[in-house]
Amino acid sequence: MTQSYENIVLDKPVAAVQLIRLNRPQAHNALTSALLLELAAALEEIARDDAIAAVVLTGGDKVFAAGADLKEMAALDMVGVLNDERPAIWRRIYQFPKPLIAAVNGFALGGGCELAMHADIIIAGDNAQFGQPEINLGMIPGAGGTQRLIRAVGKSLAMKMVLAGEFINAQEALRAGLVAEVSVPEMTIERAMKLAQSIAQKPALAVKQAKEVLLKAFETDLEAGLQYERKAFTVLAGTEDRNEGINAFLEKRKPKYTGR
Ligand code: HXC
């Protein structure tokens, strides 16, 4: 990494996976614009770095992230919110093209829950709590929480969480499909890293296409989504890795992928 950051920490990459830790423990990783800007910049740098195939994003042991920084939020009136740069930053985070796995221990609240939902996969510690408590502050989620939560967990549970501000625990989140796996908290990051490393071994172009097409399902009707899938499937037929994968299978050997 060429840049240095104050609000996030980037560990040394392991097996083509970059671990990013949110690092504002004094405020339970409350998400300031500065933190989000650093995260967006780091992800953009990683997107350009051929040596990194996937990212794991984590917070603290007891709190993943406590939401938007309420001190910053308090200073914004309606015009301030209208002119807020944050929606554009969130978009940059969402546009990260490589697999992003959130390893969530403890509270993921408000913008913290929304940040976890920007990830492609969530691995939760069994101490995790997910919530959108903005209603208790006279607000509603503002970084995709209403839209992504309802798509992840369905109408009834999303309504309960957003209208009543009730949290769900890791097991409820697992049952609802918000998270992919629940782990003992000490192993959450390790499990997320292992999963990311496993994905990092796969043919990169197919991984990229798969992520893009899966995310399209949130945005399109079935027919358009199927066409999108077929186009991506067809494009991959022109890649060396696809030929290598099929040939290796037929020749009963391990494939050697090059990312081309
Ligand atoms: C700013 C925060 C903060 C936040 C905690 N802190 N959450 N500062 N913004 N969102 C600060 C506290 O003020 C306190 O600072 C320190 O972190 C420790 O917090 P405590 O509350 O004392 O800790 P604890 O009792 O352990 O409770 C942990 C917690 C609680 C359950 C996570 O902090 C909490 O409920 N936080 C707010 C959660 C929330 O409402 N989030 C939604 C925000 S709105 P001092 O200086 O006193 O030590 C939102 C809108 C999204 O996210 C819109 C798009 C981004």
Side-chain angles (χ1 to χ4, degrees):
M1 292 291 112
T2 53
Q3 303 192 33
S4 67
Y5 302 103
E6 280 176 23
N7 299 286
I8 57 174
V9 172
L10 276 65
D11 287 18
K12 197 168 176 301
V14 181
V17 175
Q18 177 68 62
L19 178 64
I20 301 179
R21 301 172 190 267
L22 305 175
N23 188 38
R24 294 193 69 228
Q26 71 281 15
H28 282 329
N29 292 330
L31 304 169
T32 55
S33 291
L35 184 153
L36 292 169
L37 272 171
E38 287 187 3
L39 183 57
L43 291 173
E44 283 166 359
E45 194 173 345
I46 293 164
R48 292 190 295 269
D49 185 345
D50 288 342
I52 308 290
V55 168
V56 171
L57 176 66
T58 196
D61 296 344
K62 301 272 161 35
V63 182
F64 172 74
D69 188 285
L70 290 170
K71 287 184 187 142
E72 262 189 14
M73 201 57 81
L76 295 180
D77 60 6
M78 193 178 81
V79 173
V81 174
L82 266 175
N83 290 330
D84 197 353
E85 62 180 340
R86 263 168 279 219
I89 310 174
W90 284 109
R91 191 172 292 276
R92 287 169 60 194
I93 294 169
Y94 187 60
Q95 284 171 344
F96 179 60
K98 297 177 183 178
L100 176 62
I101 301 180
V104 176
N105 281 332
F107 292 103
L109 302 180
C113 186
E114 292 171 303
L115 177 58
M117 288 191 288
H118 276 65
D120 302 311
I121 300 170
I122 304 176
I123 305 293
D126 61 21
N127 65 346
Q129 297 269 342
F130 296 87
Q132 299 287 164
E134 289 90 343
I135 201 77
N136 299 322
L137 307 171
M139 299 194 286
I140 65 168
T146 59
Q147 302 307 299
R148 291 202 177 92
L149 191 64
I150 204 162
R151 284 165 168 77
V153 306
K155 176 181 160 188
S156 195
L157 187 52
M159 286 282 183
K160 184 178 88 161
M161 291 173 69
V162 173
L163 301 188
E166 283 192 16
F167 302 167
I168 58 171
N169 64 29
Q171 286 301 336
E172 291 169 305
L174 181 66
R175 276 200 299 278
L178 179 62
V179 312
E181 279 180 31
V182 175
S183 156
V184 289
E186 307 76 53
M187 297 296 288
T188 313
I189 296 173
E190 195 171 321
R191 172 59 190 139
M193 288 294 289
K194 283 270 167 329
L195 184 59
Q197 285 159 6
S198 156
I199 296 171
Q201 302 292 315
K202 312 288 182 202
L205 288 172
V207 169
K208 187 171 179 219
Q209 291 294 317
K211 168 170 172 163
E212 204 176 303
V213 173
L214 282 160
L215 288 176
K216 276 282 175 221
F218 286 148
E219 290 162 24
T220 58
D221 59 44
L222 180 62
E223 189 50 40
L226 289 172
Q227 284 183 27
Y228 206 85
E229 179 191 85
R230 195 67 203 172
K231 287 263 157 59
F233 184 85
T234 306
V235 164
L236 286 170
T239 64
E240 291 172 18
D241 280 349
R242 184 258 201 188
N243 293 339
E244 167 65 8
I246 295 176
N247 287 339
F249 176 81
L250 296 176
E251 292 161 17
K252 301 190 190 304
R253 61 174 173 83
K254 271 191 101 150
K256 273 206 192 116
Y257 294 122
T258 59
R260 302 189 63 82

